[in-house]
Amino acid sequence: MAYRVLLMDDEPAICEISGILLKKLGYEPVIAVSGEEALTQYKNARDSGKPFDVIILDLTIPGGMGGREVVSAIRESDSDVKILVSSGDLSDPAIISFADFGFSGVLAKPYNKTLLDKAIKSVLQV
């Protein structure tokens, strides 16, 4: 059984490339381009009995709900799901002290197939 991964990013190229990488790594990816869409996908998956094993959230979504807001909303009802924060701004407090913001780990941008797999496996502890 493949691990299910929800990836939220507002950049179409990152969504496309990451989706391909996740499939090549054997994961079952679902892509969301906004925080609102990520929350809808998360709730639908949970309610259907096929929850995500890992969620990857882009920290900043211009003009929309970013990773901080999404992780906060998810943590209100689910303290166990593994959530990675993803950003190129490694000086952001949510990256430096990710656990304080409700994240399980960090996926620094830019990332490649190896770093993506390593980050997911680190939070899944496999």
Side-chain angles (χ1 to χ4, degrees):
M1 181 186 92
Y3 289 109
R4 299 189 74 225
V5 177
L6 173 61
L7 171 82
M8 177 197 80
D9 201 294
D10 63 313
E11 294 184 41
I14 291 177
C15 291
E16 184 177 345
I17 293 165
S18 297
I20 291 168
L21 293 177
L22 287 164
K23 283 180 188 172
K24 285 187 177 195
L25 289 165
Y27 299 110
E28 184 184 324
V30 173
I31 307 297
V33 296
S34 70
E36 294 80 7
E37 184 182 357
L39 283 175
T40 299
Q41 293 280 9
Y42 164 78
K43 289 173 185 169
N44 289 345
R46 184 194 60 201
D47 294 347
S48 72
K50 291 173 56 177
F52 292 104
D53 298 292
V54 176
I55 298 171
I56 302 169
L57 300 174
D58 186 6
L59 187 59
T60 307
I61 303 291
M65 184 182 227
R68 277 186 192 83
E69 295 83 9
V70 176
V71 74
S72 210
I74 291 173
R75 291 293 182 221
E76 287 178 14
S77 63
D78 189 341
S79 60
D80 296 329
V81 67
K82 306 301 181 197
I83 304 175
L84 291 166
V85 59
S86 184
S87 179
D89 180 4
L90 304 184
S91 65
D92 190 286
I95 299 293
I96 296 167
S97 304
F98 62 87
D100 293 343
F101 290 83
F103 295 105
S104 312
V106 174
L107 177 60
K109 290 180 183 177
Y111 53 84
N112 59 26
K113 183 177 164 185
T114 303
L115 295 173
L116 179 61
D117 196 35
K118 187 176 179 180
I120 291 170
K121 286 181 175 169
S122 74
V123 295
L124 289 175
Q125 299 179 337
V126 295

